[in-house]
Amino acid sequence: MQDFRKEFLDFAINSGVLKFGQFTLKSGRSSPYFFNTGLFNSGAGLAQLGRYYARAILQSGIEFDMIFGPAYKGIPLAAATTIALADHHGLDIPYAFDRKEAKDHGEGGNIVGAPLTGRVLIIDDVITSGLSAGYSIDLIREQGATAAGFVVSLDRKEKMPGSSISALQSLQQEQSLPVFSIATLDDLVELLNQDSEKTATLSAITSYREQYGC
């Protein structure tokens, strides 16, 4: 595991964003861990998160011209990431996000920020289904731009209900787009393996992965 991935997971755990226990997911599954980027709710936390996204993007080597953050969670993620790219990597990248409802006054429309042009990299917290991802791709194409790929914070590497593949794998196959993450479930398991006090948690996650992992 690369150092920044471990740092990110430690950061998420210490911030209470990554929690262990028993949690009911939107799918109805009972998961031994829960991850919610909405809990990065301070200026310092969001700034640090943006730096991890920036490092993951640069590490991926993906080519892009701008960043798009889908409403709602993707909005602060896109802003924080572009700030990190500018402040720490010397890259002044434009960004945009969408409105849930189109504005019917002023400049109108449902896109805020830079015009969607060129290769657009989509940033979100997680992808649990292809529906929201497909909406973002369609929106970008409607503006005459091209979706360059996706970057998410954590890849749970978990099968979608009724499927043998994950939402990220489905997105890669159906849209032929690269998908990257700051960290994955494999990285989390490796981290927990290094902590003797997390034996019970590791066992629960291993059992969960055997049942739902892809």
Side-chain angles (χ1 to χ4, degrees), residues 5-43:
R5 299 183 186 278
K6 179 183 182 301
E7 292 171 9
F8 168 70
L9 290 172
D10 283 332
F11 169 58
I13 292 170
N14 294 333
S15 301
V17 172
L18 176 56
K19 300 180 179 180
F20 305 110
Q22 287 299 320
F23 306 92
T24 301
L25 305 181
K26 188 176 181 179
S27 63
R29 295 171 180 170
S30 179
S31 172
Y33 71 101
F34 187 70
F35 182 86
N36 179 11
T37 57
L39 297 177
F40 287 119
N41 51 19
S42 72

Side-chain angles (χ1 to χ4, degrees), residues 1-182:
M1 173 173 34
Q2 293 172 335
D3 287 344
F4 81 90
R5 299 183 186 278
K6 179 183 182 301
E7 292 171 9
F8 168 70
L9 290 172
D10 283 332
F11 169 58
I13 292 170
N14 294 333
S15 301
V17 172
L18 176 56
K19 300 180 179 180
F20 305 110
Q22 287 299 320
F23 306 92
T24 301
L25 305 181
K26 188 176 181 179
S27 63
R29 295 171 180 170
S30 179
S31 172
Y33 71 101
F34 187 70
F35 182 86
N36 179 11
T37 57
L39 297 177
F40 287 119
N41 51 19
S42 72
L46 186 59
Q48 182 63 40
L49 180 60
R51 291 194 285 272
Y52 285 120
Y53 268 99
R55 291 176 70 179
I57 289 169
L58 296 178
Q59 181 71 29
S60 74
I62 190 171
E63 295 184 355
F64 66 100
D65 300 304
M66 66 175 297
I67 284 174
F68 175 75
Y72 289 103
K73 284 187 177 180
I75 297 174
L77 299 180
T81 301
T82 52
I83 291 171
L85 288 169
D87 285 351
H88 298 277
H89 303 282
L91 299 173
D92 189 16
I93 305 295
Y95 83 99
F97 59 89
D98 64 318
R99 294 186 177 97
K100 288 291 187 180
E101 296 181 1
K103 187 177 179 182
D104 60 3
H105 60 281
E107 74 278 11
N110 62 342
I111 302 297
V112 182
L116 292 175
T117 58
R119 298 163 297 186
V120 183
L121 182 62
I122 304 167
I123 289 187
D124 215 339
D125 59 341
V126 295
I127 296 177
T128 56
S129 75
L131 295 178
S132 60
Y135 171 80
S136 296
I137 293 169
D138 290 343
L139 191 61
I140 290 167
R141 289 173 176 168
E142 287 171 2
Q143 300 295 315
T146 302
F150 278 82
V151 181
V152 298
S153 52
L154 180 67
D155 180 0
R156 291 178 61 101
K157 306 190 80 169
E158 183 174 323
K159 293 182 291 188
M160 295 184 293
S163 175
S164 61
I165 62 175
S166 72
L168 295 186
Q169 289 174 323
S170 175
L171 182 62
Q172 288 173 315
Q173 292 178 11
E174 294 180 6
Q175 302 288 348
S176 298
L177 290 175
V179 181
F180 305 97
S181 63
I182 301 175

